[in-house]
Amino acid sequence: KSVEVTGVLAKDVNAVGSRAQVSKMTVNDTSANLAANFNALLKQQNKIDTVTQSTKTDMSLTGSQFKGGTSLLAKFDSGDYTVNLKNVLAGDAGDLASNSKVKDIQVTDSGLNIGRNFDALSGSTITKITQASLKDSISISADQYTSGTTTLAKMTAGSYALAITGYTYTTANDLTTLTSNAAIKTVSPV
């Protein structure tokens, strides 16, 4: 005999969902508890019929949880939810920034990937950019450096390394001004 269970708390989803006789369940919990137990919800999403947030606040998820959980998230109050995302890859940030459900994005990626996606990281929902390792510098052009002040301001201070390419300077003072930024490790002139 199959059973439908209602009002399941997020922390109990695995225990309830793993029972063979449970065919369907509805989950009801706070946004914070739903986010904290999101991986368990993902594991049991085929048995979850609906998810109700007893208090609606932005849920904090990783970029991969959000991308992998679109079917599950559609069950949250009929799609009425918002999220703050952390550990988002630079290549995903631009697309995620255009999603109205996403209120805040924190990017963590390699210097190589941040450099490749630098122009897409200027969106207002992208609030923090962290270079995962200083092993490889964030390579950007002189034009990107000059026009990308908004994006550069989102970088974790003291925790990134830049390589500027195609820089044209007319005086030694121009180069001194540029290299006074401790994050700049190399400057390649035109």
Side-chain angles (χ1 to χ4, degrees), residues 5 9 20 23 64 67 74 77 97 101 116-117 122 124 134 155 158-159 168:
V5 182
L9 295 175
S23 62
S64 61
K67 285 179 62 180
D77 296 307
K101 303 286 186 192
R116 285 181 178 161
N117 296 283
S122 63
S124 62
L134 295 180
M155 303 281 224
S159 298
T168 303

Side-chain angles (χ1 to χ4, degrees), residues 72-129:
L72 172 64
L73 287 165
K75 299 176 184 185
F76 277 59
D77 296 307
S78 301
D80 184 21
Y81 66 88
T82 54
V83 294
N84 295 325
L85 302 178
K86 58 188 174 197
N87 297 325
V88 173
L89 297 176
D92 295 334
D95 288 338
L96 292 173
S98 65
N99 186 320
S100 63
K101 303 286 186 192
V102 177
K103 300 302 175 192
D104 182 85
I105 297 173
Q106 295 182 9
V107 173
T108 301
D109 209 339
S110 68
L112 179 67
N113 289 333
I114 292 170
R116 285 181 178 161
N117 296 283
F118 188 81
D119 293 335
L121 300 177
S122 63
S124 62
T125 56
I126 300 169
T127 58
K128 184 177 179 183
I129 302 169

